[in-house]
Amino acid sequence: MTVRLGDTAPDFSATSTEGPIRFHEWIGDDWAILFSHPKDFTPVCTTELGAVAKLKPEFDKRGVKVLGLSVDGVEDHEGWSRDIEATQGVALNFPLIADKDRSVSEAYDMIHPNAEATQTVRSVFVIDNNKKIRLSLTYPASTGRNFDEILRVVDSLKLTSTNSVATPANWKHGDDVIILAALSDEQAKEKFPDGWRAERPYLRYVPDPSAREGSPA
Ligand code: BEZ
């Protein structure tokens, strides 16, 4: 099944390192990140899970739950968790799904047979509090993901959901943002009474509205 932006995230029940999970119920009113790993006891995945565990306080601050997935069983996950703690200096602090029957991987199209027949690729889905898919990323098994980038996208998604702005290339929290092109200058004056810097009529910058509160989202 293809899962596209704006679709409702497929719901599922699964076994995890923190017990059974019913996905939509588990998300509750928060946002969620679901990300897949090709296989347990593999080097790149080990570093990725350590990286996410270290960033967990940042995801918590933004009201985002994190959920990993690998197609091996819970016993393997538990043995691997001990390795992750020993080598990455941080214990797994979020659930890891044991998708032995690959039902979740298939529902989210995480197996790309022309890349690898039985293992998942490195997928990431950001899901909002309405259970809608807001971002999907696919990386090959050989390339570890940049989870700072996932945090950056969450900041952009949350900011642009509640303000009439978009974020430019390489934007990060605190940088100037762009007034939506769909907003006329008259409409923009109402929303941004302090004005803007226009480099072109369609390229109008204002300060990051979320920077006033100090921390992201
Ligand atoms: C890894 O996590 O290191 C890995 C997993 C599957 C294929 C290649 C690398």
Side-chain angles (χ1 to χ4, degrees):
M1 184 173 153
T2 308
V3 180
R4 294 183 172 158
L5 301 191
D7 289 356
T8 298
D11 198 12
F12 58 80
S13 296
T15 308
S16 85
T17 47
E18 296 187 10
I21 284 186
R22 288 168 61 182
F23 189 47
H24 282 195
E25 191 179 292
W26 179 83
I27 297 175
D29 294 327
D30 290 328
W31 286 42
I33 291 175
L34 172 66
F35 61 108
S36 60
H37 293 278
K39 201 166 170 44
D40 289 14
F41 301 106
T42 47
V44 176
C45 299
T46 301
T47 62
E48 287 192 324
L49 287 170
V52 175
K54 284 179 192 151
L55 280 177
K56 173 84 169 9
E58 291 299 322
F59 287 113
D60 288 344
K61 213 157 78 181
R62 291 160 173 81
V64 180
K65 290 178 175 151
V66 290
L67 182 58
L69 173 151
S70 173
V71 295
D72 294 309
V74 165
E75 274 182 26
D76 280 337
H77 286 4
E78 283 166 354
W80 190 25
S81 299
R82 289 190 284 278
D83 287 357
I84 291 164
E85 185 167 3
T87 62
Q88 306 305 303
V90 60
L92 212 58
N93 49 13
F94 54 88
L96 189 58
I97 291 174
D99 191 33
K100 277 188 95 165
D101 68 1
R102 293 165 170 67
S103 56
V104 179
S105 307
E106 277 163 17
Y108 280 82
D109 198 22
M110 290 167 168
I111 296 175
H112 295 199
N114 290 327
E116 169 60 56
T118 55
Q119 299 172 354
T120 62
V121 289
R122 297 186 193 281
S123 301
V124 184
F125 295 93
V126 175
I127 296 156
D128 71 16
N129 52 338
N130 294 315
K131 319 289 184 292
K132 298 291 183 199
I133 303 281
R134 300 293 298 273
L135 166 95
S136 73
L137 278 180
T138 307
Y139 272 45
S142 54
T143 304
R145 289 157 285 194
N146 181 336
F147 289 93
D148 290 325
E149 166 64 1
I150 310 299
L151 270 180
R152 190 191 76 85
V153 175
V154 167
D155 288 344
S156 171
L157 287 169
K158 291 205 161 199
L159 177 67
T160 58
S161 292
T162 52
N163 295 272
S164 300
V165 296
T167 58
N170 299 332
W171 174 88
K172 55 189 184 327
H173 173 70
D175 290 350
D176 286 353
V177 298
I178 292 168
I179 299 174
L180 287 184
L183 225 61
S184 68
D185 280 353
E186 284 62 42
Q187 290 165 324
K189 265 180 214 148
E190 282 177 27
K191 292 198 183 277
F192 306 100
D194 294 338
W196 54 83
R197 172 172 56 89
E199 294 194 357
R200 287 289 182 275
Y202 58 85
L203 184 55
R204 299 164 295 177
Y205 290 95
V206 286
D208 176 351
S210 68
R212 281 194 295 271
E213 288 102 56
S215 69

